[in-house]
Amino acid sequence: MIKFIKNFRKDENGAVTVDWVVLTAAVVGLAVAAYTAIEKNTKDLANAAASEISGQDDF
């Protein structure tokens, strides 16, 4: 049993997998945050442009 515990402690294959899962989750989280910010600002800009255009007098 002691030999199993020592081997388990030395094995780092699972640790690399955990690192990649955490890194991937962080990248996805940042992508979602960036998409949300871009989407909101784009909608605000489109609404401002539409109100400016609709406020212009026709000649």
Side-chain angles (χ1 to χ4, degrees), residues 8-55:
F8 182 76
R9 190 175 63 185
K10 290 180 185 178
D11 187 16
E12 295 185 5
N13 289 333
V16 173
T17 303
V18 171
D19 289 343
W20 276 105
V21 168
V22 171
L23 181 63
T24 304
V27 169
V28 169
L30 288 172
V32 168
Y35 176 77
T36 302
I38 291 169
E39 180 187 25
K40 180 185 180 317
N41 291 331
T42 303
K43 285 182 181 179
D44 291 345
L45 180 62
N47 289 335
S51 65
E52 185 67 29
I53 291 170
S54 66

